[in-house]
Amino acid sequence: MYDSQRMQSVQTPIIPVVGELIRAHPGTISLGQGVAYYGPPPEAGPCIERFFADPQNHKYKLVQGIPELLEAIETKLAAENGIRIGPDQRIVVTAGANMGFVNAVLAITDPGDEIILNLPYYFNHEMAVTMADCRAVCVPSDENYQLQPDRIEKAITRRTRAVVTISPNNPSGAVYPENALRQVNDICRRHGVYHISDEAYEYFVYDGARHFSPGSIEGSSHHTISLYSLSKAYGFASWRIGWMVIPERLFEPIRKIQDTVLICAPVISQWAAVGAMQIGRSYCDEKLEETREIRTILLEELQTIRDFATVPRADGAFYVLLRVRTDMDPMDLVRRLVEEHRVAVIPGTTFGVRDQCLLRVAYGALRKDTAAEGIGRLVRGLRQVLFS
Ligand SMILES: Cc1ncc(COP(=O)(O)O)c(C=O)c1O
């Protein structure tokens, strides 16, 4: 029996391995999970009833999404993101932003093409690029995990098809300023490559940081692919709803891909999304109060170990990427934190960084008391593992 060489070259994410460690050590507090602590708003309920009220809803629907959700998304994009959908653009509802990314890569590449990812990368992006028989060209971010547009431009070759940015960022929590995103978008325009902008964490910004959508830049609609998700903002992770904004010419290829893989995003989830989007971002803003308090506790606690672990400014998402001064392998460090201190984080190697000891700390999935306990264990645990 022959098994795909291509799939063998796709990395196995470390997250299930850390999950296994957590299960083997009951009582472990996970600062590993990249999900919100809350579920969907109650406003989703009546729309789910509306779904059941019409027997036609159990049949396949349009690949690109139900008209009611497309309309809600169009209104939101204009009001919040400054993206006015013109005749040269389309919205396609996907089963989450990950699917939007796979759709984009398959639609714009041929085998052997290159996609530029910024380091640290989001591992599913790297995996999708490899699965498409393409090459992920990784460009390091600076010491604050910020974009380096000049290095991005230098990495462009005749095989480059896109530059990917994620802001607010997973795994670093960095929020890229408008001018940096404008520079990258302009580089993409000048070189005739796409700018894929993953905005799954658009509402998760702190300390006055502002989210900017490159899709709002005048003249960007022909080369910008914007990805969004309800997973984090509305606690919708298992409902699988996101969307992509694409240039019209990509609609046909993306329709072929999505028709083959999914046909349409689950219609019951699309209806739930219509309900959730009726209350809009205020739902997330309210929930974020607690996450903001946890972030403050985390940053204060991390100050106490700044002699050997630093966190560059991280004003977004619900992550910090701790830079630990040690020669220890980050996975060994993670293992010892779980085994000896019952707290889990994710090693930076998962995000493509191998020359430093980085640990991703996720603070969005827990309530305040548990998170505070986990943060205390992390700080004490790091000191003990590294110095005793
Ligand atoms: C940057 C980024 N994009 C996309 C996703 C996946 O989102 P979805 O659940 O909408 O597929 C995640 C999830 O962690 C993420 O961090």
Side-chain angles (χ1 to χ4, degrees):
M1 206 68 84
Y2 182 82
D3 296 325
S4 157
Q5 290 291 315
R6 184 181 60 238
M7 287 315 294
Q8 282 174 33
S9 65
V10 174
Q11 66 158 309
T12 304
I14 209 77
I15 289 183
V17 180
V18 177
E20 203 46 56
L21 258 180
I22 294 172
R23 270 187 296 282
H25 296 85
T28 298
I29 294 177
S30 176
L31 297 172
Q33 268 196 306
V35 289
Y37 71 87
Y38 52 89
E43 282 77 357
C47 280
I48 295 171
E49 281 166 28
R50 229 168 124 185
F51 165 87
F52 279 111
D54 182 356
Q56 294 302 319
N57 278 334
H58 300 292
K59 298 180 176 155
Y60 296 126
K61 295 289 172 186
L62 286 175
V63 169
Q64 65 267 36
I66 60 171
E68 292 81 355
L69 182 55
L70 290 169
E71 202 184 306
I73 292 169
E74 189 168 340
T75 306
K76 174 251 184 281
L77 287 169
E80 295 178 357
N81 304 85
I83 299 177
R84 275 171 196 79
I85 302 295
D88 58 345
Q89 280 169 299
R90 283 282 189 145
I91 299 166
V92 176
V93 175
T94 58
N98 269 10
M99 180 163 196
F101 188 79
V102 174
N103 284 349
V105 170
L106 290 177
I108 65 174
T109 63
D110 289 315
D113 284 344
E114 297 170 359
I115 303 278
I116 295 180
L117 304 181
N118 290 282
L119 277 177
Y121 56 55
Y122 169 50
F123 54 88
N124 284 133
H125 284 173
E126 195 269 345
M127 291 163 74
V129 171
T130 310
M131 280 181 212
D133 267 335
C134 294
R135 202 163 75 83
V137 174
C138 297
V139 173
S141 51
D142 72 10
E143 66 282 3
N144 293 315
Y145 304 131
Q146 288 292 330
L147 294 171
Q148 306 204 80
D150 48 336
R151 294 186 71 162
I152 291 173
E153 183 156 21
K154 284 200 187 95
I156 293 177
T157 71
R158 54 179 192 85
R159 295 305 302 261
T160 306
R161 297 294 170 255
V163 177
V164 180
T165 59
I166 308 169
S167 183
N169 191 267
N170 177 11
S172 72
V175 178
Y176 302 147
E178 176 176 338
N179 70 338
L181 288 165
R182 279 185 181 273
Q183 274 183 63
V184 171
N185 196 268
D186 188 57
I187 290 168
C188 291
R189 184 187 55 74
R190 284 191 280 107
H191 288 270
V193 306
Y194 288 101
H195 181 179
I196 303 178
S197 169
D198 182 326
E199 301 176 32
Y201 297 91
E202 61 172 329
Y203 294 160
F204 295 77
V205 283
Y206 317 98
D207 285 350
R210 284 172 63 92
H211 170 69
F212 178 73
S213 298
S216 67
I217 298 169
E218 217 183 307
S220 71
S221 60
H222 290 278
H223 65 277
T224 306
I225 298 171
S226 309
L227 306 179
Y228 294 88
S229 170
L230 266 69
S231 293
K232 322 284 168 179
Y234 292 96
F236 250 62
S238 76
W239 291 79
R240 309 309 304 135
I241 293 291
W243 72 87
M244 55 198 310
V245 180
I246 55 171
E248 172 67 33
R249 71 175 170 286
L250 291 181
F251 182 60
E252 237 358 88
I254 284 175
R255 183 156 61 175
K256 288 183 199 169
I257 299 160
Q258 191 151 291
D259 188 44
T260 305
V261 178
L262 182 73
I263 302 186
C264 60
V267 176
I268 188 167
S269 299
Q270 293 196 54
W271 274 107
V274 170
M277 289 180 73
Q278 272 164 12
I279 43 164
R281 78 172 294 169
S282 64
Y283 179 68
C284 179
D285 285 345
E286 207 175 282
K287 299 285 182 196
L288 265 184
E289 299 277 310
E290 189 163 334
T291 305
R292 199 170 276 122
E293 286 174 29
I294 296 169
R295 176 174 175 270
T296 304
I297 296 170
L298 174 65
L299 295 181
E300 277 171 17
E301 286 279 328
L302 290 177
Q303 278 298 310
T304 66
I305 55 168
R306 67 179 185 278
D307 47 324
F308 64 91
T310 49
V311 259
R313 201 180 171 108
D315 287 338
F318 34 60
Y319 307 109
V320 298
L321 194 58
L322 201 55
R323 193 175 278 140
V324 187
R325 219 171 302 125
T326 175
D327 291 336
M328 203 170 164
D329 174 77
M331 189 58 211
D332 289 343
L333 184 51
V334 167
R335 197 169 286 116
R336 287 196 53 192
L337 286 168
V338 175
E339 287 169 357
E340 297 166 23
H341 298 276
R342 298 291 190 270
V343 63
V345 291
I346 304 294
T349 39
T350 308
F351 312 104
V353 179
R354 286 184 183 78
D355 59 348
Q356 305 170 53
C357 182
L358 303 182
L359 300 177
R360 190 192 75 175
V361 184
Y363 56 89
L366 302 174
R367 303 311 296 260
K368 193 168 149 192
D369 288 350
T370 318
E373 169 64 23
I375 292 163
R377 289 185 196 181
L378 175 68
V379 166
R380 284 191 302 275
L382 279 172
R383 208 176 265 293
Q384 281 186 22
V385 172
L386 295 173
F387 299 105
S388 63

